[in-house]
Structure formats: C-alpha cells, structure tokens
Amino acid sequence: MSESDVRRGRPGYDRSGVLAVAVAAFNEFGYDATSMGVIAERLGLAKSAVYHHFGSKSEILESALDDALSGLEGVLATAPDAPAADRLEFVVRGAVHVLVERLPSVTLLLRVRGNTEVERSALARRREFDRAVTELVAEAQAAGTLRADVEARVAERLVFGMINSLVEWYRPGGPEDADRLADDVVRLTLDGLRTRPRG
C-alpha cells in the first residue's frame, strides 16, 4: 500500500487481518462457495493484495485451521504434572478458553469434512487431540477418580460435544466469559464423572 493510499484513508490489512475477514466469509458462505474474489471484495482490496499475504485460498484455510488446532494442542502440552483427573480438568477448561478466544477458527475447524488434503490433515490432528484426551479419561478411571461405568471414548465425546456446541450459540460480549463457561462445563460434565466416597 502506497503512502498516498494511506493518506486517502484506504484500509490496510496485515496477514492476520486478511485471515480474520476470510475466516468470517468461510463461516458465513462455506469454504467451497467463498472465492478469493469474495474475500477481496470484503476487504475492499484487489485480489492481488490478498495474494500478497496468501498464495491460495487453501493456504488461508490451512492457517485458520492451524490457529484452532495449535490452541488445543497447546493446552495439552502445558497440562500440569498432576493426577489424571486434574490434568483432564485443566484441558477441558483450556479448550473452552481456546474456543472463546479463537471462536471463528474453531467454528471453521468443526465444520470441515475432509474434502481436501488440508482438511484431512486438520482432522487427523483433531483425532490425535481426542485420542490424548481419551487416554487422560482412561488414566483417571484406572486411578479410581473417574467413574468407570462410562467408556472412556464415550465420556470424551460427551464432554467435547458440549464444549463444541458453544460455537452454535456463544457470542462474545455476553453475560458469561470464558472462566464462567469453563466452570459450567466442568460442573455439568466432569463433576458427573467423578467418583465419590460412599457415605
């Protein structure tokens, strides 16, 4: 963008700005139905300006999906050295925060169906995340801190089914922030899975 364009007030976008606008378009129209022309029009730029930041629409999708997946993987990687049930709670709370903080990219992740190599790679990474969480559930069950009458994979799916449903109704700026949402999810899922001493 030239200095004269800046003086005229032409909007400028860095890579993250282009990505945000593109992800919003993908979520609104669907990835397949969103062309680079649509993205450029929303940005108020020529297509060449979009290509300055991203070489293709597929590269935009890959960046968006990586944003969501890196957040989830980062939660797993930073789980404390603690009993499995505590690590599981940490991951559940962290996943809620990732969803709230990266809502557009997580929404996009949850809508991919594996139609392209980029989508298939993202789904493979998501399956690996799910597998790691399932192992945490199984470890906590083996330790006796989570009830064992619910199969570990089913428990993981139920917990993350609730977390993932947030993309359908959660809107930033509402009465519940990420901490409150995480508290609610833990109460409604993990608390129901915890074993309790018999009275």
Side-chain angles (χ1 to χ4, degrees):
M1 188 167 60
S2 71
E3 185 177 339
S4 61
D5 286 330
V6 173
R7 283 198 303 268
R8 286 198 301 268
R10 180 179 173 185
Y13 290 91
D14 59 10
R15 183 180 169 91
S16 63
V18 171
L19 182 62
V21 171
V23 170
F26 291 160
N27 284 331
E28 183 176 347
F29 303 116
Y31 173 73
D32 291 335
T34 304
S35 67
M36 291 292 268
V38 168
I39 295 168
E41 183 178 348
R42 287 211 156 189
L43 289 163
L45 302 174
K47 279 198 290 187
S48 60
V50 181
Y51 282 114
H52 173 74
H53 295 287
F54 293 95
S56 66
K57 188 173 78 163
S58 178
E59 186 181 337
I60 298 175
L61 177 65
E62 185 174 18
S63 294
L65 297 178
D66 182 66
D67 178 60
L69 287 160
S70 295
L72 292 172
E73 291 162 350
V75 170
L76 269 176
T78 56
D81 183 11
D86 294 338
R87 279 181 281 141
L88 179 62
E89 180 173 339
F90 177 90
V91 170
V92 167
R93 290 183 180 278
V96 172
H97 275 267
V98 169
L99 185 145
V100 169
E101 293 160 9
R102 308 184 187 197
L103 184 61
S105 59
V106 173
T107 300
L108 186 61
L109 172 64
L110 295 175
R111 291 178 179 174
V112 299
R113 294 293 177 263
N115 296 328
T116 66
E117 184 57 37
V118 167
E119 292 183 16
R120 287 189 288 274
S121 176
L123 290 175
R125 287 173 67 184
R126 178 58 199 263
R127 284 192 296 271
E128 184 63 21
F129 174 85
D130 290 341
R131 183 197 61 76
V133 177
T134 299
E135 288 181 358
L136 271 180
V137 174
E139 186 180 341
Q141 289 175 326
T145 51
L146 291 188
R147 54 192 297 170
D149 57 346
V150 180
E151 197 272 324
R153 181 69 179 115
V154 172
E156 188 274 338
R157 288 191 177 198
L158 289 172
V159 171
F160 275 85
M162 177 176 289
I163 294 172
N164 294 343
S165 73
L166 296 175
V167 303
E168 303 301 330
W169 59 266
Y170 174 76
R171 295 295 176 268
E176 293 210 335
D177 62 11
D179 287 332
R180 177 69 182 274
L181 283 171
D183 287 342
D184 291 342
V185 171
V186 166
R187 273 193 289 267
L188 290 173
T189 58
L190 295 190
D191 286 355
L193 288 169
R194 295 186 200 277
T195 56
R196 288 174 172 78
R198 295 178 180 176

